[in-house]
Amino acid sequence: PSLNTDTSMNSKATRTKRKTKEETTMAIPRIDLSMENRSELSEQVVKACEEFGIFKVVNHKVPREVILRMEEEGAEFFAKTSSEKQQASLPNPFGYGCNNIGNNGDVGDLEYLLLHTNPLFISQSSKSISNHPNKFSGAVNDYIEGAKRVACEILDLVVEGLGVQDKFALSKLIKDVQSDSVLRINHYPPNMNKIKQSTWDWDMDPCATSSSKLGNTNNAIGFGEHSDPQILTIMSSNDVAGLQATTHHGIWFTVPPDPPHFFVMVGDALQVFTNGRFTSVRHRVLTNTLKARMSMMYFGAPPLNWWITPLPEMVSSPQNPSRYKPFTWGQYKKAVYSLRLGDSRLDQFKVH
Ligand code: GA4
């Protein structure tokens, strides 16, 4: 069946539309979870993972109220004073962060909260994050539960579409009580680029990039180019744009926000589980507006001691052997945190 692309976008955008050399608008796949034909649905999910690595999920059944409550809690936290927010510093890498990303000098135009999804961790850290810790942890736990349900549903469809025998081969990893899944709330404060663009002489600006000279306002990096290390990312955001992703050919395209729906992204671990049939999607966030963007990501990950190796059905010898040396999620995380944000971390685990 042909790929069901996002019809909520401008009709012109359903075809690839060239804006500038660097930026393209195109419709990403749209997966309707209320679809009754399960085998067609699983085919669509596999196709979306293979061709884009990012897609929109509609009719996901997570109540709007759950998403809005999480967004409100985030907004309340980020509205605090800087010194109040600094009190939410938790064991590295968790808690409140401002501009610094990871441990190796990456910076972004954002502030964030990074939380482990373990309910005990949430209830303990809530005390240093909110003046109403129970309200905060309630909203966070409900959001995590909803996002996790969507992640499991997508992973079960992936497994089904790939013809993997163990029906819950992937969802069981993020359902495990030891799962290392994390939640991240990113807050991108507004920037002044739009104003700057209308009055600025770009040819005189030594900092202007070729794209900004072409009239592209998107020249402040909110969060630099990277892929997510985990299995699957479930993202929602407010109505402020900024997310971009690349095609397999390295062409950047914009992903317009769509608040009631979720966006799903393929992570590095899923690339390995599928022996490279899927590739993790490289994405970034640009700040280009006068409004603050807020996004909320659930990163589904296995337990630390779980081996990340291709699913048995994804390898066959001698035609299609594993393309990766085996490693545990814990080992991979160590590698992830020893490298820069944009590095291709899977390279060191590839069989050459
Ligand atoms: C990207 C995806 C998640 O946000 C994250 C990020 C993590 C962090 O901010 O602490 C990393 C980044 C992310 C990948 C490379 C390393 C680790 C920052 C960084 C430079 C929480 C994750 O798991 O990996």
Side-chain angles (χ1 to χ4, degrees):
S2 69
L3 203 57
N4 184 8
T5 47
D6 182 13
T7 47
S8 68
M9 286 177 68
N10 163 346
S11 65
K12 269 191 232 156
T14 54
R15 275 176 283 114
T16 302
K17 185 180 153 201
R18 199 150 272 261
K19 264 195 185 166
T20 68
K21 262 190 192 147
E22 290 107 342
E23 196 199 324
T24 299
T25 299
M26 70 173 84
I28 60 169
R30 175 181 178 276
I31 300 294
D32 182 349
L33 282 184
S34 69
M35 206 169 122
E36 276 171 22
N37 186 336
R38 179 107 187 152
S39 73
E40 183 169 348
L41 184 56
S42 65
E43 255 181 64
Q44 281 188 8
V45 170
V46 167
K47 199 161 191 243
C49 289
E50 275 183 315
E51 293 184 358
F52 286 79
I54 179 167
F55 53 90
K56 186 184 290 188
V57 169
V58 306
N59 293 321
H60 49 65
K61 299 207 187 82
V62 178
R64 183 85 186 109
E65 167 266 331
V66 167
I67 300 176
L68 287 176
R69 211 151 32 94
M70 181 70 261
E71 209 176 294
E72 275 162 27
E73 288 297 329
E76 202 173 298
F77 173 76
F78 292 118
K80 287 182 165 200
T81 64
S82 172
S83 65
E84 280 174 317
K85 287 185 274 196
Q86 298 294 348
Q87 280 162 29
S89 69
L90 300 164
N92 187 28
F94 297 111
Y96 175 69
C98 185
N99 301 131
N100 295 318
I101 300 171
N103 308 324
N104 301 308
D106 287 291
V107 289
D109 211 347
L110 84 161
E111 54 180 349
Y112 59 85
L113 264 178
L114 186 58
L115 303 172
H116 198 280
T117 59
N118 182 318
L120 217 87
F121 180 97
I122 301 287
S123 79
Q124 279 169 4
S125 53
S126 295
K127 293 173 202 139
S128 63
I129 295 171
S130 173
N131 304 335
H132 310 281
N134 291 339
K135 189 166 131 287
F136 180 84
S137 61
V140 170
N141 286 329
D142 287 351
Y143 185 84
I144 290 172
E145 192 195 305
K148 187 202 257 181
R149 229 182 314 120
V150 174
C152 288
E153 178 85 47
I154 298 294
L155 290 174
D156 290 345
L157 286 161
V158 162
V159 158
E160 197 173 320
L162 291 173
V164 172
Q165 279 207 336
D166 177 358
K167 281 179 147 185
F168 308 114
L170 296 174
S171 62
K172 71 182 179 197
L173 308 183
I174 61 174
K175 277 187 186 154
D176 195 298
V177 284
Q178 308 262 44
S179 149
D180 188 43
S181 301
V182 292
L183 179 77
R184 178 176 202 130
I185 310 167
N186 284 341
H187 178 246
Y188 300 91
N191 72 33
M192 301 299 277
N193 273 340
K194 278 200 171 154
I195 294 170
K196 196 176 166 193
Q197 197 215 9
S198 60
T199 54
W200 206 248
D201 182 348
W202 289 105
D203 290 327
M204 295 301 289
D205 184 346
C207 299
T209 60
S210 58
S211 76
S212 59
K213 282 179 188 160
L214 282 168
N216 180 359
T217 54
N218 301 340
N219 62 342
I221 296 287
F223 204 110
E225 172 182 356
H226 67 286
S227 62
D228 293 337
Q230 292 82 1
I231 305 172
L232 209 61
T233 302
I234 308 291
M235 188 209 90
S236 68
S237 77
N238 66 357
D239 206 10
V240 178
L243 179 65
Q244 294 194 324
T246 64
T247 64
H248 292 327
H249 301 294
I251 297 169
W252 284 103
F253 60 91
T254 295
V255 182
D258 200 349
H261 308 302
F262 282 114
F263 291 91
V264 175
M265 285 181 268
V266 169
D268 298 342
L270 189 53
Q271 175 171 335
V272 178
F273 284 130
T274 60
N275 201 22
R277 179 152 162 193
F278 300 171
T279 41
S280 55
V281 62
R282 293 187 75 78
H283 56 283
R284 67 184 179 192
V285 175
L286 303 176
T287 54
N288 67 337
T289 74
L290 298 173
K291 284 201 285 181
R293 173 179 166 89
M294 192 150 77
S295 58
M296 302 172 290
M297 277 76 56
Y298 168 84
F299 301 98
L304 287 170
N305 60 4
W306 194 268
W307 289 93
I308 313 293
T309 51
L311 295 164
E313 288 83 354
M314 297 290 103
V315 290
S316 60
S317 72
Q319 308 94 318
N320 189 23
S322 175
R323 299 192 197 175
Y324 306 92
K325 300 171 200 159
F327 55 87
T328 65
W329 172 245
Q331 287 167 343
Y332 191 57
K333 266 188 82 176
K334 239 187 215 154
V336 162
Y337 275 97
S338 71
L339 295 168
R340 299 290 300 262
L341 181 63
D343 288 339
S344 299
R345 304 159 220 124
L346 272 179
D347 286 354
Q348 60 182 294
F349 298 99
K350 280 192 178 141
V351 175
H352 294 292

